[in-house]
Amino acid sequence: MLESDSVLFAKVCKRVKKILQHDPGCHDFAHTLRVLHNADLLLTLESPVHPFAVRMAAVLHDCARPEELESRGKLCHAELGAKKSVRILRDCGCTDEDFIRLISDCVRTHRYRNKLQPKTLEAEIVYDADKLDSLGAFGIARAFHFAGREGACLHNTAEEALAGKEYSREDSAYREYLVKLRNLPFQMKTRSARKIALERARFMHDFFRRMNEEAGIQEKPDLDI
């Protein structure tokens, strides 16, 4: 990374850290740093044309989270973040419009619930890096953190969980696992991320299986991997 790149990267990190300083633990700046760590891991296994763009997009991917949280999901942080990242990069002194556009596209397509698909390897790596933080030990921690913040029950049966709705009492960590997280390995865009995701998903599967056993729930979470 060139010295000028290092300066730009430091400026953007400082800006994003300030933006996310009041966000809850699921999507705070610590989450951003873990996504950056995942991106760096994938960069050792994949060979995109613009690795610096991957690292920059990883830092910027959640820059519009505060707006989405304030709207309770009515605004899409990926779509808004794509526009916001352009302003941040320009404000921090970036003048390479092709570079800015590439990062904006990475941010726009990183969301799991988004219908837009990543079109470049750079965007695929950012997508995968973000999803990897929803799996494994941190995936479990984040699921319980969110459920607790929304006042959901600590645990429930699969039937109760799947019959429940988002932001309801039944929106437990187990529901998040059943509805979304167990499917993530099959949504990964790169082969490298898929391998890591499968290992982390197995860890989550064993955790919820054990939790069901300790609660006396006679069911095993399905995991077809």
Side-chain angles (χ1 to χ4, degrees):
M1 188 162 60
L2 299 176
E3 183 178 356
S4 57
D5 291 343
S6 298
V7 172
L8 176 63
F9 189 76
K11 287 182 178 179
V12 172
C13 284
K14 184 177 180 180
R15 181 78 170 269
V16 173
K17 184 177 182 179
K18 184 176 182 180
I19 289 171
L20 300 178
Q21 62 183 331
H22 300 302
D23 274 25
C26 290
H27 296 104
D28 58 4
F29 191 64
H31 161 70
T32 293
L33 292 179
R34 291 193 302 273
V35 172
L36 176 61
H37 169 74
N38 290 334
D40 284 338
L41 174 61
L42 293 177
L43 284 173
T44 67
L45 303 169
E46 303 287 340
S47 301
V49 176
H50 301 288
F52 181 50
V54 171
R55 304 192 79 242
M56 189 69 83
V59 171
L60 284 163
H61 82 282
D62 265 355
C63 67
R65 271 287 175 184
E67 290 88 340
E68 181 175 290
L69 288 170
E70 187 175 354
S71 73
R72 298 227 11 126
K74 292 180 181 179
L75 293 176
C76 173
H77 75 278
E79 186 62 38
L80 185 59
K83 300 174 183 177
K84 192 173 179 180
S85 62
V86 171
R87 296 196 300 270
I88 292 172
L89 286 166
R90 289 173 178 167
D91 288 347
C92 290
C94 183
T95 58
D96 186 337
E97 292 299 321
D98 289 336
F99 179 75
I100 291 174
R101 186 162 46 252
L102 175 57
I103 292 172
S104 179
D105 288 341
C106 290
V107 174
R108 182 178 291 106
T109 59
H110 85 273
R111 192 182 186 195
Y112 173 79
R113 292 179 175 88
N114 206 333
K115 294 181 180 180
L116 298 176
Q117 292 295 314
K119 296 180 179 179
T120 63
L121 181 54
E122 287 81 5
E124 289 181 342
I125 292 174
V126 174
Y127 176 97
D128 287 350
D130 182 44
K131 302 306 155 294
L132 285 175
D133 196 50
S134 296
L135 294 169
F138 270 105
I140 293 171
R142 291 178 67 201
F144 277 100
H145 182 282
F146 177 81
R149 204 172 76 235
E150 295 300 321
C153 59
L154 182 63
H155 194 51
N156 46 8
T157 66
E159 182 179 1
E160 293 167 337
L162 295 174
K165 298 180 179 180
E166 285 185 303
Y167 302 106
S168 71
R169 175 162 175 74
E170 299 303 329
D171 196 9
S172 64
Y174 190 35
R175 181 183 184 278
E176 178 72 357
Y177 169 77
L178 292 171
V179 172
K180 173 186 175 182
L181 303 182
R182 63 175 173 173
N183 299 316
L184 285 183
F186 314 107
Q187 304 298 324
M188 293 293 167
K189 308 304 179 184
T190 65
R191 181 177 298 179
S192 302
R194 197 171 302 117
K195 183 177 180 180
I196 298 170
L198 285 169
E199 187 276 329
R200 295 188 184 186
R202 290 189 182 99
F203 178 87
M204 299 183 82
H205 173 267
D206 290 341
F207 175 87
F208 284 109
R209 175 189 55 76
R210 175 69 178 266
M211 197 169 189
N212 284 342
E213 288 178 358
E214 293 184 6
I217 298 174
Q218 301 302 314
E219 64 184 30
K220 295 182 179 180
D222 294 332
L223 188 65
D224 186 19
I225 58 176

